[in-house]
Amino acid sequence: MLNQKDIISTLQMVREENLDLRTVTVGINLTDCVSDDIGRFKRNIYDKILKHAGQLVTTCQRIERRYGIEVANKRISISPIGVVAAPFSTEQMVDIALTLDHAANELGIDFIGGFSALVEKGISRGDQALISAIPEALTQSKRVCASVNVASTRAGLNMDAINQMGQVIKQAAQLTAENDGLAAAKLVVFANIPQDVPFMAGAYLGIGEADAVVSVGVSGPGVVKAALQRALEEEEKLDLSRAADVIKQTAARLTRAGELVGREVASSLGLPFGIVDLSLAPTPNENDSVGEIFEAIGLPAIGAPGSTAFLAMLNDAVKKGGAFASSHVGGLSGAFIPVCEDLTIARSASNRTLSLEKLEAMTAVCSVGLDMVALPGDTSAEMLSAIIADEMAIGVINKKTTAARLIPVPGKQAGDQVFFGGLLGEGPIMAVNMGNQENRFVRLGGRIPAPTQSLVN
């Protein structure tokens, strides 16, 4: 039961600490839209998306007015197109992406995710057609996002797929050179991808999900930062155990607020409620940055020694608080550390407090991985694949989700700035050690076997 202190605290989160709901996502299962006729398939998916998400934007706007909590993004996730559109060619896959973009534009939503393939153990014909179509699909569309799962703890690392993804990322960036390689910012490479991620660019609706379902992703780094600052001011002997407890309690309140709004949207749309993703998702705005939490606890900046230890504590505390507050937690659930989307992280990368190597080390304990990392335009496709392989190995060995969203920005060098706008933000180009040299390791291809589940050390 909520007491007076809880109610006042929630009102304070909304009015003063930038609490919003990062996203409401309608997941739509497209398996019953399958056809070997491209025209019929496009009509089927267009009609089903409009049927289930036609009122998404107006419903969110009505609930925003009712509760005073902003829904930052309204999104759709769909079944992986590599599966449901398996009969079609690369050119037809691009055509399908444009149909998805048309539906998203018609509904006024921000992004549609699920132009995706799951190839951790092998690449089917449909998956190959989709992977080959990604550069053109993301260049010609505005709202479509893509993801490819190339590794898992049970299957190991598919190095053939990882090798291809380095080339795909490079091509996507080059096709959108006039926009700092924007197409690459809408593409994520995953290990151990969950089936119910409401966050872009990795959102898709897994095979084991319902026909249509509503999920939410909470935000709230500004709320966590303010809670820590208050506790430090009020409690002279506050230690890290107590700080973890403050984060845990704050995460519980964030989760309750998020689930309240999500269930209201689901009820209004006549759809079941899915999950709450607990991830602390940053913005490029002041007082709403994950990096500011690091500074609030006493670190000089994110990337300084101690950052990995605090990030591990932060992630664990957020998960414990969220799990207490909701019985339906899923997705990624932790803290994102995307460079270009977070004001303070971008600042640390600019002044080189945060290097690519330190960022990679921190991804061993964070929610996602190397997220929104802009790299020099002359970084070779082989070196991109090698960076991806390193990140995937961290996820596979540690039995967690990791991802790489890398943007080799054409014509720019380490230290230059990139500008994407909106939640994608802006940030510096990070240096890559030996980035423009060949890397024969990734050319070998094949699969790195799955790790043993025993003999742990």
Side-chain angles (χ1 to χ4, degrees):
M1 181 180 292
L2 291 175
N3 57 36
Q4 189 177 23
K5 187 177 179 183
D6 290 330
I7 294 170
I8 292 172
S9 176
T10 302
L11 289 172
Q12 189 175 24
M13 290 193 302
V14 175
R15 291 175 180 171
E16 302 172 14
E17 298 166 1
N18 300 311
L19 172 64
D20 60 16
L21 200 60
R22 175 76 165 198
T23 179
V24 171
T25 303
V26 175
I28 302 173
N29 190 323
L30 299 182
T31 52
D32 58 352
C33 298
V34 170
S35 171
D36 60 359
D37 181 285
I38 184 66
R40 184 178 303 162
F41 177 71
K42 289 195 299 181
R43 284 194 300 277
N44 289 346
I45 61 174
Y46 182 86
D47 291 344
K48 186 161 186 181
I49 290 169
L50 262 64
K51 173 186 173 185
H52 287 297
Q55 299 302 312
L56 173 60
V57 173
T58 54
T59 300
C60 287
Q61 290 171 341
R62 180 172 56 77
I63 291 172
E64 284 174 336
R65 291 192 294 273
R66 180 173 180 181
Y67 292 105
I69 299 177
E70 181 189 359
V71 178
N73 267 230
K74 297 89 177 174
R75 301 169 174 178
I76 294 171
S77 64
I78 55 174
S79 306
I81 290 296
V83 174
V84 296
F88 302 119
S89 67
T90 295
E91 293 73 21
Q92 289 169 320
M93 287 288 187
V94 175
D95 206 16
I96 291 166
L98 296 178
T99 300
L100 298 174
D101 200 48
H102 179 47
N105 185 59
E106 180 76 17
L107 297 176
I109 57 123
D110 299 286
F111 291 108
I112 182 166
F115 199 74
S116 305
L118 310 175
V119 297
E120 59 270 21
K121 202 171 181 180
I123 304 176
S124 69
R125 179 176 171 274
D127 293 330
Q128 183 57 64
L130 181 130
I131 291 171
S132 300
I134 286 175
E136 280 293 339
L138 297 186
T139 299
Q140 295 186 34
S141 65
K142 184 177 179 182
R143 293 176 168 84
V144 175
C145 293
S147 61
V148 180
N149 192 69
V150 298
S152 73
T153 299
R154 288 186 177 276
L157 280 73
N158 185 341
M159 291 300 294
D160 292 328
I162 290 172
N163 207 3
Q164 279 197 49
M165 291 313 299
Q167 299 167 25
V168 167
I169 291 170
K170 188 85 176 174
Q171 187 181 356
Q174 287 173 336
L175 287 172
T176 48
E178 70 281 4
N179 294 316
D180 283 342
L182 178 62
K186 298 186 288 179
L187 169 61
V188 188
V189 183
F190 271 104
N192 292 324
I193 187 173
Q195 298 199 15
D196 52 6
V197 186
F199 287 117
M200 296 296 171
Y204 83 106
L205 191 72
I207 299 301
E209 298 288 329
D211 197 45
V213 63
V214 174
S215 296
V216 298
V218 300
S219 183
V223 177
V224 173
K225 172 196 157 190
L228 274 178
Q229 286 178 326
R230 274 197 304 274
L232 286 163
E233 290 170 3
E234 296 170 358
E235 301 179 31
E236 186 180 345
K237 295 184 178 179
L238 183 141
D239 62 9
L240 289 173
S241 296
R242 172 64 185 139
D245 196 46
V246 170
I247 296 170
K248 192 168 61 177
Q249 292 176 21
T250 306
R253 288 200 298 274
L254 287 170
T255 305
R256 283 178 179 167
E259 182 164 342
L260 169 70
V261 174
R263 286 191 179 279
E264 187 81 10
V265 172
S267 175
S268 297
L269 293 176
L271 299 176
F273 179 74
I275 57 101
V276 183
D277 187 309
L278 305 175
S279 300
L280 289 181
T283 72
N285 304 322
E286 200 83 44
N287 295 320
D288 204 20
S289 155
V290 169
E292 289 174 329
I293 303 174
F294 285 66
E295 295 172 356
I297 200 67
L299 288 159
I302 187 168
S307 297
T308 307
F310 177 64
L311 181 57
M313 182 188 115
L314 175 65
N315 254 5
D316 182 67
V318 167
K319 290 180 181 180
K320 286 174 177 169
F324 170 76
S326 174
S327 299
H328 298 283
V329 173
L332 300 169
S333 293
F336 287 2
I337 48 172
V339 178
C340 290
E341 292 182 0
D342 187 289
L343 181 69
T344 314
I345 299 176
R347 190 182 299 153
S348 287
S350 288
N351 63 28
R352 305 200 175 184
T353 303
L354 179 63
S355 66
L356 186 61
E357 289 75 15
K358 178 64 175 179
L359 187 65
E360 181 184 299
M362 292 172 65
T363 66
V365 298
C366 83
S367 176
V368 188
L370 295 172
D371 196 15
M372 286 298 289
V373 180
L375 303 174
D378 62 355
T379 307
S380 69
E382 287 178 350
M383 205 60 80
L384 292 172
S385 297
I387 295 170
I388 293 168
D390 284 345
E391 188 59 35
M392 299 302 105
I394 289 172
V396 166
I397 296 298
N398 290 292
K399 304 174 187 175
K400 69 184 285 292
T401 301
T402 53
R405 186 158 44 150
L406 308 175
I407 310 150
V409 183
K412 292 196 173 181
Q413 300 299 318
D416 291 345
Q417 290 284 314
V418 292
F419 303 90
F420 299 114
L423 286 178
L424 295 177
E426 60 185 79
I429 309 279
M430 300 186 76
V432 179
N433 187 22
M434 302 170 66
N436 57 1
Q437 298 187 31
E438 66 174 354
N439 193 322
R440 288 182 292 172
F441 163 70
V442 297
R443 289 187 206 161
L444 297 175
R447 284 170 52 200
I448 294 179
T452 180
Q453 302 293 306
S454 61
L455 301 176
V456 292
N457 52 25

